[in-house]
Amino acid sequence: MTAAALDPELGCPSGLAPASRDHAEDFSAFVKSKGNENTLLLSIRGAKCGGCLKKIEQSILKLPGVSSARLNLSNGKLDVRWQGSLTAREISGTLTALGYGVSAFGEDTAQRAAKSEERSLLIAMGVAGFAAANIMLLSVSVWGGHGEMGEDTRTALHLLSGIIALPVLLFSGQHFFKSAWSVLRTGHANMDVPISLALVLAFGVSVWETLNGGQNAYFDASVMLLFFLLIGRFLDARLRRMAHAAAHDLAALQNRSVTRVAADGTTEAVPAGEILEGDTLMLSAGERAAVDLQITKGFSTVDESIVSGESEPRSAGPGATLYAGSINLDQQIEGRALGTSSDSLLSDISNMLEAGEQKRARYRKIADKAVSLYIPFVHSVAALTFVGWLILGASPREAILVAVATLIITCPCALALAAPVAQVVASGRLFKNGVYLRSGDALERLAETDHIIFDKTGTLTLGEPVLSTASVDHDSIKQAASLARASRHPLSRALVVAAGSGKVADNVSEHPGLGLEAIVDGEACRLGSADWIGAPATPSSGLSLWFRKGDNPPVQFEFEDQLRSEASDTLSQLAKRGYTFEVLSGDRSSAVQQAADALSISNWSAGVSPQQKAARLNELQQQGKTTLMIGDGLNDAGALSMAHASLAPGGAIDVSQSASDAVYSGGLDAIPTILAVAKRARTVMKQNFALAAGYNLIAVPIAVTGHVTPLIAAIAMSVSSIIVTLNALRISSGGT
Amino acid sequence: MHIIVYLIPIAISFGLIGLGAFIWSVNSGQYEDLDGAAFRILDDEDVPLSGDRRG
């Protein structure tokens, strides 16, 4: 396993995601059987390119009895169907051996609802687009034949337009009508109220005019309005659904089978959600704890880096507490569940994520502010127009026609497109730079930040220990590595990386919490802690391992978690733009200080728990700072969701990726680009709203004075939408 | 001019066929995995795994 973990063929061949070193878990509790056929839905982490698709599908198809394996690259869902005796563990084992992370696929109801909403918006948009194109076909002939076309022909074409428009308005317009009706009943108003009013009035007046043989019918305008608005609505729903994946991904981490030990000693696989407090669970080497456990039997080393950010694994024996999410590294242990999976540390973090999501939902976007100014404006202008024309002696029919024309022409096509189009173009630009944006309004929040908080391990540093002592001779490294290959301890792995390829020593025995032992060339060799080797206990600031062969003097290997090479350049670049920094890490204070000093960040804290991190973010917010949190571990997830805006590196665990606003691949140097594009997107959005307002300044006088015809309305609406879209396209070019 | 009595329904029915195809494609999940579809078209089953290293 250790040697395999270093294989470059593991994981995503494009290098977009790091290879996973998870141990195969058992998902047999999630297999659905129907007759002969078994179905298993798995969620694959780390599959990012076409190479992954091929690798995964072909390897699974090679397993005996598998009839189909299909991976959805967009959401990582793998659908496996098979017949016969193949077990779920063999399937997940094949996937983990390829270097991908696996969990059972679970979709919550909120997510399913968001997905079906997006789908119905897409269909509504298609229907509206169809109708807009066909009615425009008829309208153009009416406009073109103005003065020559007979009244009967014109009425017939209007009628035909109305026949197409009616079902389309009822079908595609329901998204707006339903929402408008539900807020009106509570005595409030939202954007959908003026939209619904404009649609209904435009249609009603057009029917009236058609039946009376009038010249002006607004069927084309009402359907085109609907089409443009649905484009904006669809883009928005899509970005929002992608953002909502946070809670779901966390739930996926808990979608696992665990091995429960019954009172008589027999074991059975049960879903993690069914564990009760007091159950005895068995945790084999490499397995991740699903709930908080108190160890009852066995000694082992546990890797808690995902939970606490502590880079050094610790040894644990009976009585010790093991938090959910930590990985048991070397020996099988048994433990008593301290709670159900819903009150584990993992779900504490999940609650923090929810709180963060709610906080973000309260964020007032530029678009919301624009709408709150817009609604009263449009309604009063239309009402005043109606009253004004009546006072000036027009007939009610004329007055209504002018008021409806005003309502249609001021209706917010450009307003509805202003923000979503800018967001889509900006996220496209960032995507080209290897940055994946998780929500649209994230751009606005990213643009506002001024104080950047970094996690240390994995964010500022590489997150993996690297052998740092140059003085050790290569022979010792090679001999020590032959023992280290038998272990999955992070330091052993680092030693193997330094040694390169080679053989594993025979009969290596692992002593939990102490080290490794084997006989090499007839001499006893030991690799492990200083005490156990019999070396003089020298105080060491960092991580170290000792190796002794026979009676030779012991050799010390020192390791350090190195800073990323681009870190200091990036930080000085950001400092020039006026950002301030802070380091918030769960690691030991010596390690944090070293990193902070190297980057000359004076504001740092070490040994911070996940809850403290989130609390610190709240505190900063109350001091009036707009915070940008950058972190990668499970211990950062809460803080990431509490921050005003947040970023996670591509190597971060899934929960942190979903808790953040954007994920960047590559190094820290992506951060200045992200912030620059976000600022540019915000500027363009504001320009777009200014353009929409400017358009109304010109259009409203024309409409109020009664000079608007359906032709002018159609041109004005499409021109304003096109201008806003073209302006948004400027984000994709131009300097950072 | 009577020709439009035939032409307009024909034009609209062509539009409806397109709309029907669009609705079918949405409901049958054609847009579920846009990322994967882009790669699948390049996937040539005759060639053994040589494409794996490609980025």
Side-chain angles (χ1 to χ4, degrees):
Chain A
M1 182 66 199
T2 310
L6 302 163
D7 191 331
E9 301 229 0
L10 273 183
C12 182
S14 71
L16 281 172
S20 154
R21 287 155 180 169
D22 279 3
H23 191 65
E25 283 165 13
D26 191 6
F27 297 107
S28 47
F30 297 93
V31 176
K32 290 198 179 92
S33 299
K34 201 177 182 184
N36 275 336
E37 196 179 57
N38 302 307
T39 312
L40 179 61
L41 288 179
L42 293 171
S43 184
I44 308 293
R45 295 188 298 277
K48 301 277 179 199
C49 74
C52 303
L53 197 76
K54 208 163 167 179
K55 206 157 101 172
I56 291 174
E57 288 185 357
Q58 290 187 349
S59 319
I60 296 296
L61 282 171
K62 273 183 205 149
L63 295 173
V66 175
S67 53
S68 97
R70 199 169 170 89
L71 175 69
N72 183 328
L73 205 55
S74 306
N75 61 7
K77 180 171 112 177
L78 176 68
D79 185 340
V80 189
R81 282 150 206 269
W82 75 95
Q83 287 162 350
S85 61
L86 188 70
T87 63
R89 188 180 273 280
E90 285 172 273
I91 295 173
S92 64
T94 309
L95 293 165
T96 43
L98 289 171
Y100 296 97
V102 186
S103 52
F105 187 84
E107 211 173 21
D108 61 0
T109 40
Q111 212 185 2
R112 229 171 291 152
K115 208 167 162 183
S116 73
E117 190 207 343
E118 190 188 313
R119 186 181 276 199
S120 72
L121 276 172
L122 185 61
I123 290 179
M125 191 182 97
V127 170
F130 155 81
N134 281 286
I135 294 176
M136 194 50 74
L137 195 79
L138 303 172
S139 294
V140 167
S141 39
V142 173
W143 301 331
H146 186 72
E148 291 169 36
M149 187 180 277
E151 196 187 312
D152 289 346
T153 317
R154 191 180 64 212
T155 307
L157 291 177
H158 278 167
L159 265 179
L160 200 53
S161 304
I163 291 170
I164 301 176
L166 178 65
V168 170
L169 280 175
L170 289 180
F171 175 73
S172 298
Q174 58 177 330
H175 291 278
F176 301 102
F177 300 148
K178 275 184 193 160
S179 143
W181 179 240
S182 66
V183 292
L184 276 179
R185 279 204 306 199
T186 61
H188 298 280
N190 63 2
M191 185 76 155
D192 294 333
V193 175
I195 291 172
S196 304
L197 203 62
L199 291 174
V200 170
L201 282 177
F203 185 78
V205 164
S206 305
V207 170
W208 174 261
E209 282 294 289
T210 305
L211 295 179
N212 288 307
Q215 278 197 11
N216 296 337
Y218 289 99
F219 293 117
D220 51 359
S222 57
V223 175
M224 194 160 70
L225 186 66
L226 195 58
F227 179 50
F228 282 138
L229 292 171
L230 281 168
I231 294 177
R233 205 48 72 92
F234 169 71
L235 291 177
D236 200 49
R238 203 181 155 83
L239 284 171
R240 228 163 355 104
R241 180 173 66 85
M242 288 174 172
H244 183 72
H248 160 246
D249 281 359
L250 190 62
L253 262 186
Q254 294 176 328
N255 274 344
R256 290 181 298 143
S257 300
V258 289
T259 316
R260 183 161 65 188
V261 187
D264 58 359
T266 54
T267 58
E268 58 168 341
V270 292
E274 290 178 15
I275 304 169
L276 298 174
E277 190 176 340
D279 280 355
T280 304
L281 305 175
M282 194 169 81
L283 210 59
S284 54
E287 206 173 342
R288 198 189 290 279
V291 296
D292 299 347
L293 288 176
Q294 187 172 34
I295 301 177
T296 51
K297 208 195 268 180
F299 287 89
S300 185
T301 318
V302 291
D303 179 355
E304 292 186 324
S305 58
I306 185 177
V307 185
S308 64
E310 164 67 58
S311 48
E312 192 170 18
R314 69 177 176 100
S315 49
T321 308
L322 199 61
Y323 289 110
S326 32
I327 303 168
N328 173 25
L329 286 173
D330 42 43
Q331 301 284 314
Q332 178 173 310
I333 49 176
E334 278 181 22
R336 197 166 52 81
L338 292 176
T340 57
S341 67
S342 61
D343 46 39
S344 64
L345 177 68
L346 217 55
S347 36
D348 281 355
I349 290 174
S350 151
N351 291 339
M352 277 193 263
L353 287 184
E354 258 172 48
E357 213 171 302
Q358 279 172 9
K359 208 182 85 195
R360 278 184 193 166
R362 287 200 295 273
Y363 174 75
R364 259 170 77 80
K365 291 179 276 189
I366 300 177
D368 298 338
K369 292 176 194 160
V371 167
S372 65
L373 291 175
Y374 177 84
I375 295 177
F377 169 75
V378 171
H379 284 173
S380 36
V381 165
L384 285 175
T385 310
F386 178 67
V387 175
W389 276 75
L390 276 184
I391 292 172
L392 290 175
S395 68
R397 182 185 155 194
E398 266 181 298
I400 287 183
L401 262 178
V402 176
V404 167
T406 312
L407 207 53
I408 291 174
I409 209 160
T410 53
C411 212
C413 273
L415 208 60
L417 288 174
V421 174
Q423 287 164 355
V424 166
V425 176
S427 57
R429 160 120 195 225
L430 288 174
F431 182 79
K432 272 189 214 150
N433 289 314
V435 179
Y436 305 86
L437 210 61
R438 300 203 62 95
S439 75
D441 57 320
L443 284 167
E444 288 176 40
R445 284 186 278 109
L446 281 167
E448 290 166 0
T449 53
D450 55 16
H451 185 68
I452 307 181
I453 298 114
F454 291 98
D455 167 50
K456 184 189 73 80
T457 318
T459 307
L460 288 174
T461 66
L462 294 169
E464 283 169 10
V466 176
L467 184 64
S468 59
T469 23
S471 59
V472 181
D473 65 288
H474 200 69
D475 273 355
S476 308
I477 296 180
K478 264 191 158 168
Q479 286 167 352
S482 69
L483 267 73
R485 283 197 183 88
S487 160
R488 57 171 93 232
H489 194 286
L491 293 184
S492 302
R493 283 204 203 109
L495 198 59
V496 176
V497 174
S501 57
K503 278 185 193 156
V504 190
D506 295 330
N507 301 324
V508 181
S509 58
E510 193 156 10
H511 300 267
L514 299 171
L516 304 158
E517 191 171 25
I519 311 283
V520 181
D521 307 332
E523 283 183 285
C525 290
R526 278 182 168 191
L527 178 70
S529 61
D531 290 354
W532 190 59
I533 304 294
T538 46
S540 150
S541 61
L543 309 165
S544 64
L545 268 184
W546 289 80
F547 176 68
R548 186 170 203 166
K549 186 177 184 187
D551 293 329
N552 296 351
V555 189
Q556 185 185 16
F557 300 107
E558 282 191 46
F559 301 87
E560 62 178 26
D561 189 6
Q562 281 176 335
L563 279 179
R564 290 178 181 273
S565 56
E566 74 280 2
S568 83
D569 277 355
T570 304
L571 261 64
S572 62
Q573 207 179 334
L574 287 170
K576 263 186 221 148
R577 296 194 195 167
Y579 290 98
T580 49
F581 308 115
E582 179 169 343
V583 176
L584 217 54
S585 174
D587 207 351
R588 285 158 296 123
S589 107
S590 57
V592 181
Q593 184 172 18
Q594 199 185 355
D597 285 352
L599 295 168
S600 47
I601 302 174
S602 54
N603 195 351
W604 58 267
S605 19
V608 191
S609 74
Q611 286 84 352
Q612 285 170 327
K613 280 196 182 190
R616 173 74 183 144
L617 262 298
N618 268 337
E619 190 189 330
L620 283 167
Q621 214 111 46
Q622 271 153 20
Q623 289 170 14
K625 292 202 163 130
T626 40
T627 49
L628 170 62
M629 171 80 201
I630 305 177
D632 72 326
L634 184 60
N635 59 329
D636 300 312
L640 286 168
S641 65
M642 296 313 277
H644 188 67
S646 47
L647 295 173
I653 77 153
D654 283 29
V655 182
S656 298
Q657 291 196 5
S658 345
S660 55
D661 292 317
V663 177
Y664 60 90
S665 54
L668 287 165
D669 40 7
I671 294 167
T673 318
I674 298 173
L675 294 174
V677 171
K679 282 194 168 162
R680 202 174 155 79
R682 185 178 59 161
T683 313
V684 166
M685 267 188 251
K686 283 187 172 165
Q687 283 171 354
N688 275 351
F689 285 114
L691 281 172
Y695 154 80
N696 272 347
L697 279 185
I698 300 169
V700 165
I702 300 177
V704 169
T705 51
H707 289 93
V708 165
T709 63
L711 175 61
I712 293 180
I715 292 176
M717 275 199 306
S718 28
V719 167
S720 67
S721 301
I722 289 171
I723 288 178
V724 165
T725 309
L726 286 179
N727 188 44
L729 285 176
R730 291 191 311 122
I731 304 175
S732 66
S733 59
T736 51
Chain B
M1 277 303 280
H2 287 297
I3 191 71
I4 63 168
V5 174
Y6 303 104
L7 283 181
I8 291 178
I10 289 174
I12 292 177
S13 54
F14 272 124
L16 279 175
I17 292 172
L19 182 65
F22 175 72
I23 293 175
W24 168 82
S25 66
V26 172
N27 283 333
S28 68
Q30 301 288 318
Y31 300 101
E32 293 281 292
D33 182 17
L34 296 174
D35 300 338
F39 287 110
R40 272 180 214 279
I41 197 164
L42 298 172
D43 193 17
D44 190 351
E45 278 164 25
D46 295 341
V47 183
L49 290 172
S50 62
D52 267 13
R53 295 284 192 102
R54 172 180 44 90

